[in-house]
Amino acid sequence: MNESKVRLFPLALSTKNNQSTFNLNPWLDFIEEQISLNIHLIESVAELEKSCKKILEGVQRQEEVLNIQGKIHRRQYEHLKKNVIEIKHASKSYKTSMNEHLSKQTAFNKMMIRRSSIQNEVLNRIQRNNNRQESILKRYFETALEKLDKNEVNTNQSVERLEALESIIEKIIAKIELEEKIK
């Protein structure tokens, strides 16, 4: 070894001197590693493309379903709107008929009051003649007044319910109109 011009370094001496430890090209390992990475990347991109296609198909199906549901909701909304408008018209006509009924009831009440006053006069005349007839007519008069009062209370309650229903319907219509403006 003294004749050789190759200098031996401690690192070179410590490694085995077989062919497997020597690389012919220092970039060969890097290139092989890069090739395997590139193959892995190509496979990953292919899988990613398949996944993207599946996701895109799912989104397209969801979009179709949403379009169908949107149409159904629009039809239901129009139907509901139509029903609410019909209810509003019906409640207006019901209110009108209730007002007519109230006016008739008031006229009837006035007539009953007139009749009652006439009957009272008759009762006063009959009272002079017969006490027994007076008690019968008094009971009749009181029952008639109680029925009139009950009719009047029932009529007032019906009017209050009708007004409450009309205010609720107006609120619903206002909400519907507001939603239509928003759309």
Side-chain angles (χ1 to χ4, degrees):
M1 284 236 191
N2 290 338
E3 297 173 10
S4 169
K5 294 183 180 179
V6 175
R7 295 183 184 173
L8 296 176
F9 295 98
L11 182 62
L13 290 175
S14 65
T15 59
K16 296 180 182 175
N17 288 334
N18 62 18
Q19 288 290 24
S20 65
T21 60
F22 295 106
N23 287 330
L24 297 176
N25 188 349
W27 298 101
L28 186 62
D29 287 339
F30 174 75
I31 291 172
E32 287 176 357
E33 184 180 327
Q34 196 65 34
I35 288 171
S36 68
L37 282 174
N38 287 346
I39 290 171
H40 179 70
L41 283 175
I42 290 171
E43 290 171 354
S44 298
V45 167
E47 289 294 321
L48 185 62
E49 283 179 354
K50 288 178 185 177
S51 298
C52 287
K53 285 180 183 178
K54 287 180 182 178
I55 291 171
L56 183 61
E57 289 171 357
V59 167
Q60 288 173 344
R61 276 188 248 118
Q62 286 179 348
E63 186 178 355
E64 291 171 0
V65 168
L66 286 175
N67 286 339
I68 291 169
Q69 287 178 347
K71 289 177 184 177
I72 291 170
H73 286 299
R74 274 187 239 113
R75 286 186 203 130
Q76 289 175 345
Y77 174 78
E78 291 296 324
H79 182 68
L80 182 62
K81 179 181 169 185
K82 180 182 173 184
N83 287 344
V84 168
I85 291 172
E86 287 175 1
I87 289 171
K88 179 184 176 186
H89 292 305
S91 69
K92 282 184 180 180
S93 65
Y94 181 71
K95 183 179 179 182
T96 305
S97 65
M98 283 301 294
N99 286 337
E100 290 174 5
H101 176 70
L102 285 175
S103 63
K104 289 178 183 178
Q105 189 69 34
T106 305
F108 177 74
N109 288 344
K110 287 179 182 178
M111 183 183 72
M112 288 301 290
I113 290 171
R114 275 190 250 123
R115 283 186 182 177
S116 297
S117 65
I118 293 170
Q119 286 177 356
N120 196 16
E121 290 175 16
V122 170
L123 281 175
N124 286 334
R125 287 183 211 151
I126 293 174
Q127 184 180 4
R128 293 178 199 145
N129 295 327
N130 194 344
N131 287 335
R132 184 172 178 233
Q133 289 178 351
E134 179 190 292
S135 64
I136 292 172
L137 289 175
K138 256 188 179 179
R139 279 187 247 138
Y140 173 75
F141 178 72
E142 288 173 358
T143 10
L145 285 177
E146 286 176 5
K147 286 182 180 178
L148 287 175
D149 288 340
K150 285 182 183 177
N151 282 344
E152 189 171 330
V153 168
N154 288 340
T155 303
N156 288 337
Q157 288 175 349
S158 296
V159 168
E160 290 173 359
R161 288 182 195 146
L162 183 62
E163 289 173 354
L165 179 63
E166 185 177 12
S167 67
I168 290 171
I169 289 172
E170 288 176 0
K171 287 178 185 177
I172 291 172
I173 289 173
K175 285 182 182 179
I176 289 172
E177 289 174 352
L178 179 64
E179 287 180 12
E180 287 181 350
K181 287 180 182 177
I182 291 174
K183 289 183 181 180

